[in-house]
Amino acid sequence: MKPSPTPDSYQSSKKDPEEANTSRRASRSSSSSSTRRATSAKMGAASSSSSSSSSSASSPRPPSMTLAQAHAAIDEVTAVVRVPANAARIAAIKKQVDADPDNAMMAMFSFMPLANELMGPAMKKYGYADQENGGGLMPFLNALQEDRGDDALRDKARTLRKLVVPESMLPMVEAMYGG
């Protein structure tokens, strides 16, 4: 335990209040600026290492499909969607989403797993199964609906959207794909 200062020692250790404040500010300023410099240096090193690694590894591009492959893939997916058991599962989700059309997240969380399940074999066949290499459900669906100037493919894509997209969301989806 430290002895309490006597009045004499208190007086001798007491500094001018302004001098004490200036001294504390200078001490805080130098320690905080050195902390800022150290943090900045660490962040700079981390960002330069991550930017150099991300610049050397460009983001993967989805596979591409020929017009013939797009026709074949959309025919396969449409056939799977029309299987009565699958159509019933899709109809149940569509009904649920249409009951609460403002809840778009519910639609995504309800439909995406089913779509991955139903379209998975076609996605794999056409090179879209590997999400790490630009594949996945959304790139696959985008490739199927990409405008290639082919009216027959455009009609097939519109038919597929009507089969799987809830009625309440169809206008928005059609607008996205030029429906």
Side-chain angles (χ1 to χ4, degrees), residues 63-140:
S64 60
M65 268 190 210
T66 66
L67 182 59
Q69 288 174 321
H71 272 283
I74 206 163
D75 289 342
E76 287 175 40
V77 169
T78 301
V80 168
V81 165
R82 285 189 165 147
V83 169
N86 296 337
R89 293 169 69 192
I90 292 168
I93 290 173
K94 287 170 69 172
K95 183 178 179 181
Q96 180 184 12
V97 171
D98 283 337
D100 187 8
D102 293 331
N103 193 347
M105 290 307 290
M106 177 182 63
M108 296 300 284
F109 286 125
S110 300
F111 180 69
M112 297 301 264
L114 179 59
N116 272 308
E117 177 188 329
L118 299 179
M119 297 178 195
M123 288 170 35
K124 185 173 183 177
K125 179 178 180 179
Y126 293 98
Y128 285 81
D130 186 5
Q131 291 185 357
E132 306 229 338
N133 289 315
L137 180 64
M138 296 312 292
F140 179 66

Side-chain angles (χ1 to χ4, degrees), residues 24 37-38 52 58 76 109 123 135-136 150:
R24 271 192 298 251
R37 280 192 300 273
S52 66
S58 63
E76 287 175 40
F109 286 125
M123 288 170 35
D150 185 86

